[in-house]
Amino acid sequence: MAGERKSQSGEERLIELFRPMAKNPGAFALLDDAAVVAPPPGSDVVLKTDAIVGGVHFFHDDPADAVAKKALRVNLSDLAAKGAEPLGFLLTLLLPAEADEKWAARFARGLAEDAEKFRCPLFGGDTDRTPGPITISIAAFGHVPRGKMVRRAGAKPGDLIVVTGTIGDAALGLMLRREPGNPTFARLDSAARSQLADRYLLPQPRNAIALAIREHASASIDVSDGLAGDLTKLAAVSGVVASLNAKLVPLSDGARAVLQAEPKLIEQILSGGDDYEIAATVPENRLGALQAAASAAGIGLTTIGRIEQGEGIAITGLDGKPLTLRRGSYSHF
Amino acid sequence: MAGERKSQSGEERLIELFRPMAKNPGAFALLDDAAVVAPPPGSDVVLKTDAIVGGVHFFHDDPADAVAKKALRVNLSDLAAKGAEPLGFLLTLLLPAEADEKWAARFARGLAEDAEKFRCPLFGGDTDRTPGPITISIAAFGHVPRGKMVRRAGAKPGDLIVVTGTIGDAALGLMLRREPGNPTFARLDSAARSQLADRYLLPQPRNAIALAIREHASASIDVSDGLAGDLTKLAAVSGVVASLNAKLVPLSDGARAVLQAEPKLIEQILSGGDDYEIAATVPENRLGALQAAASAAGIGLTTIGRIEQGEGIAITGLDGKPLTLRRGSYSHF
């Protein structure tokens, strides 16, 4: 009947939660089948998608706002490593029947905060029921000047290997979350324990130095599957050896304390994953400029090794001897 | 250790399956964190994401190649309705432990066929394990000249309402799949039964007339949640009434036979969803040109009503009386 109003469906109520963060005019306030984005003239659109699944990438009782932020940040981290500035994202949110509207509201609140913080507005999405766990897939878009995306390819013998922030915290945070009674963590005070746990809960992507990476790095990769494994991938595509000194890898106080108690956890630190830092290679004469940009952005940047001729990865362990890891990087299969 | 080769992980084997369809140079052969696409100068990138979930949008025993095609086609259908030409897509594929590599190989084969057929190459993706059902989220990108995406907004009183193909087949095909013994379907021969079932299994998106829609339509929507509900959405955003005559709605022979046996299934036909046709509004003086383009593409195009002043939807039933549907469109919540 003409003019008749239907009561809002659950799907429409969900969309209402997300509408406020669809601020770009190209999102058409989520009132169309699709969105449009006009990248700056002369640019490439950088495309990335990454999903997180309840019970696999986050715990079922993680706060909904943190889950939302993790879902977006794992994608933002790739844009940062590629030297791209965010344009926006598309969201797929699959909810089991037991996820209530309170959960969804808190999820939307967290997502809105990060969309604002990282200037990465929502362009559209899809919400559906699933008989499985909460599942979020985000496709994020960024832009770089044409041809300027920083690749995994491009590292040259003589380049230095640098990494942002600290490595291993998230992997140790996950261990701690899974085994809260593990004696290795006994010497940590509660601040150090929460710092490790927080790094697993909430990645800190390094978008603030994306432009400096684009300007100075010869190659770059998002550290998400473990530093050693990700550098192995970068080295393979570049056709070089990544030569890495474990002693130089930047550690938080918490990770350092854990490592003192249990030196073999160097394996976990180097290959555990979920760091969401940037590992980049940089010609020696560009290091100063990159370092200065990182300092200005308040982001730590540490030289951990050097690119050499050959193929693969060579790690010098804490004892000064060559270190072979049991597994290079994380694979879900 | 430098130069050491690891055996391929399951994830790497999966990526190998998808690499052949990552033909665009911007996909970097799936060997980087992200991809790039350079839209034609002066264009908008059209963005769309839609997910399908095992047990919700497809049956667990549907052939893997058909599942892959459905996942891509539900997105291609939106690009078609918006008048956009495909640029490519990103894939999120979440597999339970019991999905074997044979399933994945068949999935990849189907996806490759459609990527080729619709000229929509793979740019990147994410594969992961899930404790839930097989879940596929695709983000598809297209392009239109700047500002030329065909919106839901724009329908004007006096415009004709047209729809491609036939309506209701997929909804009836789903009924038939769920209730194979339902006597309503008894009068159908096996060809008609498989035609209905096939329309549910495999959408036929109308990308072949996307450019004509862009040239001639005043507004347009992908018919995925039911013709009546989707036209209600178009009418709401356009600020008009969509006045629709059920007698004019194009039906396949199978749907016509079912409707003769069970006239109340007009409700299912008009609101069942999964049609993946295009409903568009077109000024009367553009109908001929749009019709000619549809004929040239081998796609049926039928006038089913008219846009009027007011708000909402007005349906004239098969009996010539106003018809009110119990539910306008499909919502998973």
Side-chain angles (χ1 to χ4, degrees):
Chain A
M1 198 161 63
E4 190 178 62
R5 291 266 181 200
K6 289 193 309 168
S7 68
Q8 276 196 322
S9 73
E11 192 165 2
E12 284 161 346
R13 283 197 303 275
L14 260 182
I15 293 171
E16 289 307 326
L17 290 176
F18 293 106
R19 208 182 304 283
M21 71 192 90
K23 286 183 176 170
N24 190 291
F28 304 120
L30 308 181
L31 285 169
D32 216 306
D33 304 83
V36 295
V37 64
S43 62
D44 281 337
V45 179
V46 177
L47 308 169
K48 174 68 194 180
T49 193
D50 225 340
I52 64 172
V53 178
V56 180
H57 304 91
F58 61 92
F59 289 86
H60 294 296
D61 58 348
D62 282 349
D65 50 340
V67 172
K69 289 177 180 190
K70 179 181 265 192
L72 184 57
R73 290 181 182 198
V74 299
N75 285 284
L76 285 167
S77 181
D78 284 295
L79 294 185
K82 301 293 101 180
E85 292 167 85
L87 282 167
F89 70 102
L90 297 173
L91 168 71
T92 296
L93 175 61
L94 304 173
L95 294 176
E98 63 272 20
D100 60 12
E101 297 204 10
K102 216 168 118 185
W103 192 95
R106 190 168 177 183
F107 178 91
R109 201 161 60 240
L111 198 59
E113 283 171 16
D114 265 13
E116 191 75 27
K117 177 185 173 102
F118 293 97
R119 298 181 192 181
C120 189
L122 177 69
F123 273 81
D126 183 27
T127 57
D128 262 314
R129 283 285 180 223
T130 177
I134 294 172
T135 299
I136 304 126
S137 176
I138 280 182
F141 322 105
H143 65 98
V144 290
R146 184 78 33 97
K148 295 295 185 192
M149 188 186 96
V150 186
R151 305 263 327 262
R152 291 182 186 174
K156 299 267 182 310
D159 287 351
L160 298 168
I161 304 171
V162 297
V163 69
T164 58
T166 56
I167 294 295
D169 298 325
L172 297 175
L174 176 58
M175 272 184 77
L176 181 59
R177 180 83 187 264
R178 280 186 176 147
E179 318 157 32
N182 186 322
T184 307
F185 297 96
R187 69 162 66 187
L188 297 184
D189 59 23
S190 72
R193 295 167 74 94
S194 5
Q195 193 238 349
L196 295 180
D198 283 356
R199 279 300 297 270
Y200 176 75
L201 184 66
L202 201 56
Q204 302 294 336
R206 304 307 184 183
N207 299 75
I209 59 161
L211 270 64
I213 292 288
R214 193 163 86 208
E215 198 160 352
H216 304 297
S218 53
S220 174
I221 190 167
D222 161 52
V223 184
S224 54
D225 295 334
L227 179 65
D230 287 330
L231 278 176
T232 305
K233 291 175 196 165
L234 181 149
V237 180
S238 290
V240 295
V241 172
S243 178
L244 175 67
N245 189 335
K247 267 190 239 176
L248 301 177
V249 171
L251 301 180
S252 68
D253 292 345
R256 196 172 300 280
V258 169
L259 193 59
Q260 270 161 10
E262 191 69 54
K264 74 173 172 19
L265 284 178
I266 189 68
E267 165 106 22
Q268 203 62 28
I269 288 170
L270 295 180
S271 65
D274 285 325
D275 296 295
Y276 300 106
E277 298 289 355
I278 298 173
T281 62
V282 56
E284 202 153 359
N285 64 359
R286 308 300 283 272
L287 179 65
L290 182 57
Q291 195 84 60
S295 298
I299 295 172
L301 188 88
T302 309
T303 302
I304 58 171
R306 192 179 278 274
I307 296 297
E308 293 167 5
Q309 287 192 336
E311 185 186 289
I313 190 163
I315 307 176
T316 304
L318 297 175
D319 56 3
K321 295 180 187 158
L323 173 67
T324 303
L325 300 175
R326 277 179 295 124
R327 56 171 201 141
S329 74
Y330 194 76
S331 167
H332 282 286
F333 290 90
Chain B
M1 199 162 61
E4 191 179 61
R5 290 267 182 199
K6 290 191 311 169
S7 68
Q8 276 196 323
S9 72
E11 192 166 1
E12 285 161 344
R13 283 196 302 277
L14 260 181
I15 293 171
E16 289 306 326
L17 290 175
F18 293 106
R19 208 182 304 283
M21 72 192 89
K23 286 183 176 168
N24 190 290
F28 304 120
L30 307 182
L31 286 170
D32 215 305
D33 304 82
V36 295
V37 65
S43 62
D44 281 336
V45 179
V46 177
L47 308 168
K48 173 68 196 181
T49 192
D50 225 340
I52 64 172
V53 178
V56 181
H57 305 91
F58 62 90
F59 289 86
H60 295 296
D61 58 347
D62 282 349
D65 51 339
V67 172
K69 290 178 180 189
K70 179 182 267 193
L72 184 57
R73 290 181 182 196
V74 299
N75 285 284
L76 285 166
S77 181
D78 283 294
L79 294 185
K82 301 291 101 180
E85 292 167 85
L87 281 168
F89 71 102
L90 297 173
L91 168 71
T92 295
L93 175 61
L94 304 173
L95 294 176
E98 64 269 22
D100 59 12
E101 297 205 11
K102 214 169 120 186
W103 192 96
R106 190 167 177 183
F107 179 91
R109 200 162 60 240
L111 199 58
E113 284 171 16
D114 265 12
E116 191 74 30
K117 178 185 172 104
F118 292 98
R119 297 183 193 178
C120 188
L122 177 68
F123 273 81
D126 183 27
T127 58
D128 262 314
R129 283 284 180 225
T130 177
I134 293 171
T135 298
I136 305 126
S137 175
I138 280 181
F141 321 103
H143 64 99
V144 291
R146 185 77 35 94
K148 295 295 185 193
M149 188 186 96
V150 186
R151 306 265 325 266
R152 292 182 186 173
K156 298 268 183 309
D159 287 352
L160 298 169
I161 304 170
V162 297
V163 68
T164 58
T166 56
I167 294 295
D169 297 325
L172 297 176
L174 176 58
M175 271 184 78
L176 181 59
R177 182 82 186 266
R178 282 187 176 146
E179 317 157 32
N182 185 322
T184 307
F185 297 97
R187 69 161 66 186
L188 297 185
D189 59 24
S190 71
R193 294 168 75 95
S194 14
Q195 192 238 348
L196 294 180
D198 283 354
R199 279 300 298 271
Y200 176 75
L201 184 66
L202 201 56
Q204 302 294 337
R206 304 307 185 182
N207 299 76
I209 58 161
L211 270 65
I213 291 288
R214 193 164 85 208
E215 197 159 352
H216 303 297
S218 53
S220 174
I221 191 168
D222 162 52
V223 183
S224 54
D225 295 333
L227 178 65
D230 287 330
L231 278 176
T232 304
K233 290 174 195 163
L234 181 150
V237 181
S238 290
V240 296
V241 172
S243 179
L244 176 66
N245 189 335
K247 265 190 238 176
L248 300 178
V249 171
L251 301 180
S252 68
D253 291 346
R256 195 172 301 281
V258 169
L259 193 59
Q260 269 160 10
E262 191 67 55
K264 74 173 172 16
L265 285 178
I266 188 67
E267 165 105 22
Q268 204 61 30
I269 288 169
L270 295 180
S271 65
D274 285 325
D275 296 296
Y276 300 105
E277 298 289 357
I278 298 173
T281 61
V282 55
E284 201 153 359
N285 64 358
R286 308 300 283 274
L287 180 66
L290 182 57
Q291 195 85 58
S295 297
I299 294 173
L301 188 88
T302 309
T303 302
I304 58 171
R306 192 178 278 274
I307 296 297
E308 292 167 6
Q309 287 193 336
E311 184 187 290
I313 190 163
I315 306 175
T316 304
L318 297 175
D319 56 4
K321 294 180 188 159
L323 173 67
T324 303
L325 300 174
R326 278 178 296 125
R327 54 172 202 140
S329 74
Y330 194 77
S331 166
H332 282 286
F333 290 89

